[in-house]
Amino acid sequence: MALMTGKQYIESLKKLDIKVYMFGERLENPVDHPIIRPSINSVAMTYDLAFDPEYEDLLTTTSHLTGEKINRFCHIHQSTEDLVKKIKMQRLLGQKTASCFQRCVGMDAFNSIYSTTFEMDEEYGTNYHERFKKYLELCQKNDWTVDGAMTDPKGDRGLSPSQQEDPDMFVHIKEVREDGIIVRGAKAHQTGSINSHEHLIMPTIAMTEADKDYAVSFAVPTDAKGVFMIYGRQSCDTRKLEEGADIDLGNNTYGGQEALVIFDDVFVPNERVFMCKEWKYAGMLVERFAGFHRQSYACKTGVGDVLIGAAAVAADYNGVPKASHIKDKIIEMQHLNETMWACSVACSAEGTKTKSGGYLIDLLLANVCKQNVTRFPYEIARLAEDIAGGLMVTMPSEKDLRGKETGPWVKKFLNGKVGTSTENRMRILRLIENLTLGTAAVGYRTESLHGAGSPQAQRIMIARQGNLEAKKEMARRIAHIDVSKDK
Ligand code: SF4
Ligand code: FE
């Protein structure tokens, strides 16, 4: 089965015995849990759109390994056209779900491990690349959602992995056996973890020889022995448990998901190990994954499209769509959103072929893209809140709208433009609340800041990739500077 439908995907998750904890208790049925289900619906969209003739070209492609039709989320980019199609798919999914649809972390892990293992094998004569190709074929054939996992808890940020008092602060190799390795540690805030069939682990930072036990990459099924998750809560999440609070959710169908994933002495057979102590290549893997995921933040422009639309609809209900300052704010939101998009397109169009044949984005432009993403969604959110008005955070609940005694008063006093529906006005304001302060704000705001690396990580890469020396030389030449005259 090379392509699953959304329904088949959800059924396939039910067959896994995933160990998940929420509010201190193990969940019996995570797939149908009301707090989790919207995030599963978002991933399901990545499956369903593959069958939609309108979007088939973006959501599906041909495997370079088998020649079969596969979901693009399992693909190794074969050209810059592929890189551009990837981000068009992500913007589309952001528009369709107004949330994080989670499956990109696996796609970005596939692409970074694919090219890194090739170059690693070239230097060391190892066979990680062939192993990885076999694993990738399995993912493509089964149309799996794979959780690419990079971020370790990190403990004391001033210390390297091997200097930590608690060695588990970074995922590490505890034991090397003839048939595989035993790993231990955790990955923090893992997107879509519970909704994934597999976990694909990578190191989180560049390593030195002293850290070689932490230079490890491997894949495990999500329900492997010793793997379990603790669900990450989101603001307003328990509204999903309330009866009659659909309007209050803002987006009652889709959502994102993060969790703390723990590896408590997990055995990984050799055929699923893709890096084992080759510390020199940890940095390359991190740099490439981070670069791909910084390109991926085109997803925020899709969610931004929904937020801009919501602000404009709110302005309609408020009766001020023609006010010049409102029009100008909406123009500014669009300008910021398209600036992020332009950077994501640029880093894709300027991609290059790696030795493995897979294509890599332009790293400088991908980092500039993500640096903008650490700022612009905040400004877009601020403008959306400005246009929406304070009612977005002070209005009564859906139950008050439906209440026998309260309903008529809510309908009367929360009405905006004459002739429009109070309920609709409440719905659009709650959507803005969801995107800027509620469950989706995890993906749209704070994840924009910290996801795929916090702002400083991009600034380090910009400094490294920006070639300042060449720029200084350009200036010296124009100014006719003779450096021999300088002491
Ligand atoms: Fe994909 Fe965006 Fe979610 Fe990352 S934050 S997994 S790029 S939707
Ligand atoms: Fe992310």
Side-chain angles (χ1 to χ4, degrees), residues 329-348:
K329 280 165 190 157
I330 290 172
I331 291 167
E332 178 64 9
M333 290 164 89
Q334 287 179 298
H335 162 69
L336 293 169
N337 208 38
E338 299 305 333
T339 303
M340 291 187 281
W341 175 245
C343 289
S344 189
V345 172
C347 74
S348 308

Side-chain angles (χ1 to χ4, degrees), residues 387-457:
I387 294 168
L391 190 61
M392 168 194 132
V393 288
T394 62
M395 71 181 159
S397 67
E398 178 173 354
K399 276 194 182 139
D400 292 307
L401 174 73
R402 312 271 183 233
K404 206 165 154 239
E405 284 178 37
T406 50
W409 297 107
V410 171
K411 276 196 191 112
K412 174 184 165 76
F413 287 118
L414 264 57
N415 193 238
K417 186 179 160 59
V418 177
T420 59
S421 147
T422 300
E423 177 179 325
N424 285 347
R425 185 172 183 226
M426 289 174 76
R427 283 183 182 277
I428 207 69
L429 293 180
R430 284 293 180 209
L431 174 59
I432 298 172
E433 182 200 33
N434 173 260
L435 285 163
T436 55
L437 303 165
T439 52
V442 177
Y444 190 65
R445 286 174 62 132
T446 315
E447 197 189 22
S448 289
L449 192 67
H450 292 295
S454 307
Q456 186 58 18

Side-chain angles (χ1 to χ4, degrees), residues 17 19 220-228 266-267:
D17 183 23
K19 205 171 172 189
V220 284
T222 302
D223 59 355
K225 189 163 177 275
V227 177
F228 63 97
V266 178
F267 173 71

Side-chain angles (χ1 to χ4, degrees), residues 73 90 93-94 99-108 191-192 258 292-293 295-300 303 443 447 451-452:
F73 279 97
Q90 290 168 312
L93 282 156
S99 68
C100 166
F101 38 90
Q102 307 143 57
R103 208 174 165 187
C104 328
V105 278
M107 168 173 56
D108 292 340
T191 299
E258 270 79 25
F292 277 123
H293 210 56
Q295 170 212 25
S296 281
Y297 274 25
C299 70
K300 308 292 179 232
V303 180
E447 197 189 22

